[in-house]
Amino acid sequence: MIEVLLVLIVTALATSVPGVFLVLRGLSMTTDAISHTILLGIVLAFFMTNDIRSPWLIIAASIIGIATVYIIELVSRTQLVRQDAAIGLVFTALFAAAIVLISKYSGNAHLDMDVVLMGEVLFAPFNRIDVFGFSIPAALWQLSIIMFVNFAFIALFYKELKLTTFDPKFAFIAGFSATLIYYALMTLVSVTAVAAFDAVGSILVINFFVAPALTAYLLVRRLSAMIWLSMLFAVWNSVIGYIIGFSYDLSIAGVTSFTALVTFMAVFIFSPDGWLNGKLRALRQKRTFTRAMILMLMNEHGHTRLTAGEITSHFNLNQKQFDNHMEHLLINDYIEKKNGQYTLTERGEEYTHYTRSKYELPI
Amino acid sequence: MMEVLTSFTFIVVAAGTMILAFAGGMVGAISVMKGQSLIGDAVGHATFPGIVLAFMLIGVKETYTLALGAVLFGIIAFLTIQMITNHSKVTLDGALALVLSSFFGLGMALMSFVQGNPDFEGTQGLNDYIFGQAAYMLRSDVYLITAASVISLFILAAFYIQIRIYIFDPVFSRTAGINNTLMNFIILIITILLISVGLKAVGAILIVNLLIAPAVIGQLWSSRFSTVLLIAGSSGAFAAFTGTYISTAGENIATGPAIILTLSFLMALSLFCAPKGIIRRNIYKRRMGGVS
Amino acid sequence: MDGTIITIKDLNVAYQDKPALWHINLDIRKNSRTAIVGPNGAGKSTMIKTMMKLIRPVSGSIEIDGRTDKGVLKNIAYVPQKGEVNWDFPATVLDVVLMGRYVHKGWVKRTQKKDRDIALEALKTMKMEAFCDRQISELSGGQRQRAFLARAIAQDADIYVMDEPLQGIDITTENLIMDVIRKLQAEGKTFIVVHHQLNTVKEYFDHVVIMNKTIIADGPTDAVFTGDNIEKAYREKGVGV
């Protein structure tokens, strides 16, 4: 069964590397559209060849994939339809056409919709071919080739991909065609998506493309790091997905996709620049600021002696917040309490000077 | 022809899909104008685990229960998307793709669990919610769609003025005392509601078309908010009728895809022929003498 | 001053069915510091984007250094407005400046040590060497502008075309940028700068183009930058058709 894991990992690696550029170019949903519409290509080619293993299926599907990108661009370039709406319109129309064709003409043919849409990586080892005398799953062989083509493309055109993604206008001036790079990338994406169908199905393939890249995006400062880290997350998600899916007899691709979200959310929440740290920092800043403001108020004329009531109403504090702040200020010896009134200590007064310069307030 | 039009199945299915498409067109128009067309797509996919989970917990394959699970997961998906885009540099495009596919993956995992487990019976039908099976719509399904549509349109009517201001000028609407967050949430809730009840008719993948295409058709024919909504609703209903007719009269044509293809045809037609369409614009350009 | 470096003849540009530039005839002097001024929507950005062949004109011709082919663009360092690129892109300041060197590399060719040195030198000129490993999203507005200008310097072009480089930056950066521009002019470079603040035109630029869809006036700043011309550009709502 190690072959199943291998197919899964190779699929994840082949998809996640181009995925980095899809994420950075805002093409995630365009890729989702492609992964649905290539079904139309598969169906059309299947009717012509009547062979689910025919290479024509991959070719036709890729052509439809590129056509999808082109039609979306054509529709949104009229400026009559927004790009996101164009994506939604085009992929549903082509997908609906595919479903109608399947239900109308393939009554007894072996084109199982569920397998195409859902994929099943567990079936991958059943279809084998001989390579250099070894019998390996056809999907593994096919996806490995595609993985190396993708790696080679990105290694070779790294500079061009980087430039056209970051600043397409400058790329044009520098003599690199952003359009050429774009369509080359989308051709590879289409081919990869078709090949990945067997293993993960057309709906989840988008997850394999973008989830690792999105997770890496949260952590990195450089493009090269994003690519390496995406590959790492791709393998991680696959291994976890495989172990859980296999142990509990669940859809492996499904579990892998959901694992990808869990991984993403974990990084999103707990990373150094993440959600949790952001919230805590904001909370700390607000607390420090409120305390500084209380001290500064006591430093003003006519406010040197304040009662608890005056402070709570001035800063709109509830009793718990008030107790918390006052305890902190008393322990640190910034203020003292006499006859139910609070006054600044010398240390507290010094602190207000520091505060004024910190927040750039007039002294 | 009369035979088809008076058949019981046709009446049930046509009524259900027309009401759904009318309300969906109107509500979808708002999302499209806000530039949030694809949220419906993400929500549509994300309802899948909700449906399976509702089935697992309550054990009946009844539309009302399943729709409840769908609504719940639609909301969770939307909140996740919003949290990601608000608190990180990840764009809406990326967040949609991530949440859409991960939730769907969860749905598939749950589904595989249910199918391999002898405790659960009669799971074959659940897949219908992915592709839609309008032909199996029951009278109770139509009642549910009608109820959801009436509620949605009622809410839309109640907040009509606020929503209109919110869409055209969010900054002004805030100064005018309109709660933008609330407006966005209301729009979203009715969108999720309609998606959830419409899954059986057109399926999780295609339902987004029902929200976008009528809206775009409306925008091509008019610039007035109210007229756009009306055209969106009516073109949705018209396509639903035509699509249902084609699928009932023809053989082996699923209703959902037939409706979507009809809508797509109307959409393409409008793109060329509408007052703001390509043909009129090219004629105008030529008259100006500025053809490039 | 030695002759003309850019010649624009009867240029017309339209967006869909709205004219953006109308009958533009313009000569830009070699080795000048030329400001392009005009009200919002006057087509200033459109004009320089058309020069860079980023927008296709309806009619007219643009000759740069006696050439009209695309290759001439490599000799122009274009500094876009800050908002035109994705600052969340995972790259360091040095990465961005190195992109200036890509102009001299063919397809597939990588940058070398020499390019790195040139990029670091450009960063030094812009007083950004301390930021070279900083992620670009962490930069302030002024620092972003300096990074862009460093990229332009690394490109080592003869003509600089800049879209509002002084927009929304602090006064220190503004002075630094103007110093660098003057220094490069002394080395023979030509500058074409879309400029927003009318009060600094005389101090910063020796030539000026005043426009509003069409050219109102152009020439040496002292002769052309008059109250009359400015009022003409800012009062009229552009040419109708």
Side-chain angles (χ1 to χ4, degrees):
Chain A
M1 281 331 261
I2 198 73
E3 282 174 342
V4 173
L5 180 61
L6 275 179
V7 171
L8 197 66
I9 288 177
V10 170
T11 308
L13 287 175
T15 47
S16 60
V17 173
V20 167
F21 293 96
L22 298 174
V23 164
L24 291 174
R25 286 165 177 250
L27 291 171
S28 306
M29 289 307 282
T30 310
T31 309
D32 183 50
I34 293 179
S35 70
H36 283 83
T37 57
I38 40 187
L39 183 67
L40 182 61
I42 292 180
V43 172
L44 289 174
F46 178 74
F47 286 157
M48 277 183 273
T49 62
N50 243 314
D51 173 14
I52 194 81
R53 295 275 151 219
S54 162
W56 282 105
L57 264 63
I58 293 190
I59 294 168
S62 307
I63 292 171
I64 295 282
I66 290 299
T68 308
V69 175
Y70 186 67
I71 297 170
I72 290 173
E73 198 166 287
L74 217 58
V75 172
S76 56
R77 213 191 292 153
T78 62
Q79 296 189 354
L80 298 169
V81 184
R82 285 204 209 203
Q83 205 224 354
D84 61 333
I87 293 173
L89 290 170
V90 171
F91 99 79
T92 46
L94 297 182
F95 189 76
I99 295 186
V100 166
L101 284 176
I102 292 174
S103 58
K104 187 116 181 87
Y105 299 111
S106 72
N108 49 5
H110 300 285
L111 191 62
D112 190 345
M113 280 262 290
D114 280 5
V115 172
V116 176
L117 278 162
M118 311 294 187
E120 185 46 87
V121 71
L122 278 176
F123 298 159
F126 297 142
N127 177 34
R128 312 184 74 85
I129 53 164
D130 280 324
V131 181
F132 306 125
F134 295 100
S135 165
I136 65 167
L140 186 61
W141 175 240
Q142 206 175 43
L143 283 161
S144 299
I145 293 172
I146 287 170
M147 180 180 77
F148 282 115
V149 171
N150 287 353
F151 286 180
F153 174 75
I154 278 147
L156 215 54
F157 295 101
Y158 183 72
K159 175 181 97 224
E160 288 79 5
L161 281 162
K162 184 176 177 179
L163 188 61
T164 52
T165 305
F166 174 64
D167 192 348
K169 283 181 191 144
F170 187 71
F172 169 81
I173 292 161
F176 303 105
S177 166
T179 319
L180 199 62
I181 285 284
Y182 175 57
Y183 277 99
L185 177 69
M186 293 322 264
T187 307
L188 284 183
V189 166
S190 302
V191 174
T192 311
V194 184
F197 263 19
D198 270 352
V200 296
S202 74
I203 298 174
L204 294 188
V205 74
I206 180 62
N207 191 282
F208 282 68
F209 272 112
V210 301
L214 284 167
T215 316
Y217 188 39
L218 298 176
L219 291 167
V220 300
R221 294 147 47 86
R222 302 197 59 180
L223 181 60
S224 48
M226 186 166 166
I227 294 174
W228 291 113
L229 207 55
S230 298
M231 292 167 73
L232 194 72
F233 281 126
V235 174
W236 162 262
N237 292 338
S238 304
V239 171
I240 301 287
Y242 173 80
I243 292 172
I244 297 178
F246 195 72
S247 319
Y248 296 95
D249 199 13
L250 304 173
S251 151
I252 290 174
V255 179
T256 305
S257 300
F258 192 67
T259 306
L261 181 67
V262 175
T263 310
F264 175 89
M265 290 311 281
V267 172
F268 170 78
I269 293 173
F270 298 110
S271 73
D273 293 330
W275 180 83
L276 188 66
N277 253 334
K279 287 276 166 199
L280 287 177
R281 204 177 306 127
L283 211 67
R284 263 199 308 273
Q285 278 165 356
K286 197 183 162 206
R287 212 166 49 197
T288 314
F289 187 71
T290 310
R291 286 171 189 168
M293 285 297 130
I294 295 173
L295 294 182
M296 301 229 310
L297 182 69
M298 292 183 186
N299 202 21
E300 279 171 27
H301 267 298
H303 294 288
T304 46
R305 284 171 193 287
L306 292 176
T307 62
E310 282 167 335
I311 294 173
T312 47
S313 71
H314 193 95
F315 292 101
N316 220 347
L317 301 170
N318 62 34
Q319 191 60 42
K320 211 177 137 208
Q321 289 167 326
F322 172 81
D323 290 343
N324 187 316
H325 289 317
M326 284 302 141
E327 192 187 322
H328 175 89
L329 293 173
L330 282 167
I331 287 174
N332 282 286
D333 198 22
Y334 288 134
I335 55 173
E336 51 194 3
K337 190 177 180 184
K338 269 184 208 153
N339 310 328
Q341 285 188 316
Y342 295 94
T343 52
L344 277 183
T345 61
E346 204 165 314
R347 195 173 134 85
E349 193 169 333
E350 261 168 39
Y351 189 78
T352 61
H353 296 308
Y354 159 73
T355 308
R356 280 179 200 278
S357 68
K358 179 182 163 193
Y359 294 112
E360 292 175 357
L361 296 169
I363 296 175
Chain B
M1 181 171 174
M2 278 317 285
E3 225 170 283
V4 174
L5 288 180
T6 51
S7 84
F8 180 71
T9 323
F10 175 80
I11 293 171
V12 170
V13 175
T17 53
M18 281 174 76
I19 295 168
L20 175 73
F22 185 79
M26 281 201 162
V27 173
I30 298 170
S31 301
V32 170
M33 286 183 213
K34 286 236 39 102
Q36 301 179 332
S37 310
L38 290 177
I39 285 184
D41 191 30
V43 168
H45 283 76
T47 52
F48 184 39
I51 286 170
V52 184
L53 210 60
F55 170 74
M56 284 166 71
L57 290 178
I58 304 175
V60 281
K61 221 167 48 193
E62 187 196 39
T63 317
Y64 294 80
T65 325
L66 301 185
L68 203 66
V71 169
L72 192 69
F73 268 75
I75 293 174
I76 295 174
F78 173 73
L79 292 178
T80 313
I81 291 167
Q82 208 173 38
M83 181 166 167
I84 293 171
T85 50
N86 284 351
H87 299 284
S88 78
K89 55 186 173 180
V90 171
T91 57
L92 180 64
D93 174 67
L96 285 174
L98 175 71
V99 169
L100 174 159
S101 56
S102 305
F103 274 62
F104 197 83
L106 177 66
M108 275 176 59
L110 291 174
M111 188 73 177
S112 55
F113 177 74
V114 170
Q115 278 172 337
N117 197 321
D119 293 348
F120 301 103
E121 278 173 15
T123 54
Q124 58 277 37
L126 286 179
N127 264 343
D128 291 348
Y129 291 86
I130 302 175
F131 304 113
Q133 270 301 357
Y136 298 154
M137 266 165 71
L138 308 170
R139 213 189 293 198
S140 60
D141 293 325
V142 178
Y143 292 152
L144 183 67
I145 286 174
T146 313
S149 303
V150 169
I151 293 171
S152 301
L153 292 180
F154 184 75
I155 296 175
L156 184 61
F159 292 98
Y160 180 78
I161 294 169
Q162 285 97 319
I163 288 176
R164 199 174 76 173
I165 297 173
Y166 166 60
I167 285 168
F168 288 113
D169 196 343
V171 180
F172 172 71
S173 94
R174 196 172 315 142
T175 55
I178 294 167
N179 186 341
N180 285 0
T181 322
L182 181 70
M183 286 306 125
N184 206 17
F185 194 68
I186 288 173
I187 296 164
L188 220 100
I189 288 289
I190 51 182
T191 310
I192 294 174
L193 188 65
L194 287 174
I195 289 174
S196 303
V197 299
L199 288 175
K200 197 170 179 185
V202 279
I205 299 173
L206 291 180
I207 192 135
V208 65
N209 187 289
L210 223 50
L211 298 170
I212 303 177
V216 175
I217 294 171
Q219 281 183 309
L220 285 168
W221 287 92
S222 170
S223 305
R224 270 179 62 111
F225 186 66
S226 54
T227 321
V228 171
L229 291 194
L230 271 178
I231 295 175
S234 344
S235 55
F238 174 77
F241 179 84
T242 315
T244 311
Y245 179 76
I246 292 173
S247 106
T248 318
E251 258 174 62
N252 281 331
I253 300 178
T255 315
I259 296 173
I260 302 310
L261 286 179
T262 315
L263 257 180
S264 303
F265 177 72
L266 285 181
M267 164 68 217
L269 205 67
S270 306
L271 195 61
F272 285 100
C273 306
K276 296 192 217 164
I278 294 170
I279 293 175
R280 280 284 282 275
R281 194 168 66 189
N282 281 350
I283 292 173
Y284 183 62
K285 225 185 199 174
R286 206 159 299 145
R287 245 187 245 144
M288 289 223 345
V291 187
S292 54
Chain C
M1 298 291 147
D2 34 354
T4 307
I5 196 155
I6 298 179
T7 308
I8 301 177
K9 283 204 184 108
D10 198 24
L11 183 73
N12 293 293
V13 176
Y15 286 121
Q16 304 290 359
D17 47 17
K18 290 187 194 73
L21 295 176
W22 201 248
H23 287 307
I24 301 274
N25 283 293
L26 184 64
D27 286 337
I28 287 172
R29 309 282 302 174
K30 195 168 183 173
N31 201 210
S32 68
R33 258 180 291 140
T34 300
I36 298 174
V37 298
N40 282 334
K44 304 179 296 272
S45 286
T46 307
M47 188 163 82
I48 61 171
K49 281 190 182 132
T50 315
M51 276 185 209
M52 303 306 297
K53 299 190 195 293
L54 294 168
I55 296 173
R56 199 203 300 235
V58 175
S59 63
S61 71
I62 299 173
E63 216 173 79
I64 301 170
D65 234 355
R67 296 166 64 181
T68 54
D69 61 302
K70 204 178 152 279
V72 76
L73 296 180
K74 293 192 177 194
N75 198 21
I76 306 178
Y78 174 63
V79 181
Q81 287 188 22
K82 288 193 296 279
E84 287 185 18
V85 299
N86 172 16
W87 289 101
D88 281 330
F89 187 87
T92 61
V93 173
L94 184 61
D95 287 333
V96 170
V97 178
L98 259 176
M99 288 180 190
R101 299 304 302 163
Y102 290 5
V103 171
H104 304 289
K105 307 279 157 190
W107 286 85
V108 187
K109 295 252 170 54
R110 292 294 177 93
T111 51
Q112 290 142 346
K113 171 94 176 44
K114 199 185 108 221
D115 300 300
R116 230 181 119 83
D117 293 342
I118 294 173
L120 284 170
E121 197 54 44
L123 276 169
K124 236 176 239 162
T125 308
M126 293 316 300
K127 297 200 164 57
M128 284 286 284
E129 64 270 32
F131 295 91
C132 88
D133 279 327
R134 198 63 82 79
Q135 222 241 302
I136 53 173
S137 64
E138 297 165 8
L139 299 182
S140 72
Q143 288 163 344
R144 286 174 184 188
Q145 206 59 31
R146 273 148 70 188
F148 264 162
L149 195 52
R151 180 176 77 177
I153 294 169
Q155 188 184 337
D156 194 23
D158 288 324
I159 306 168
Y160 287 70
V161 173
M162 309 166 99
D163 204 343
E164 301 202 12
L166 305 179
Q167 170 79 6
I169 60 173
D170 54 290
I171 188 73
T172 325
T173 307
E174 184 165 327
N175 289 335
L176 175 72
I177 290 178
M178 286 318 298
D179 284 348
V180 172
I181 289 180
R182 287 195 190 94
K183 200 186 105 215
L184 289 168
Q185 186 192 22
E187 290 169 13
K189 315 283 188 193
T190 306
F191 283 85
I192 299 145
V193 180
V194 173
H195 192 60
H196 227 79
Q197 312 147 331
L198 293 179
N199 56 338
T200 48
V201 171
K202 282 205 168 173
E203 182 191 344
Y204 288 170
F205 299 97
D206 51 31
H207 281 68
V208 66
V209 176
I210 303 170
M211 65 180 294
N212 191 354
K213 306 235 159 129
T214 186
I215 303 290
I216 308 284
D218 73 287
T221 310
D222 293 334
V224 173
F225 197 67
T226 61
D228 264 6
N229 284 335
I230 296 164
E231 206 193 313
K232 233 194 218 164
Y234 281 78
R235 189 190 51 214
E236 286 172 18
K237 293 193 87 184
V239 251
V241 183

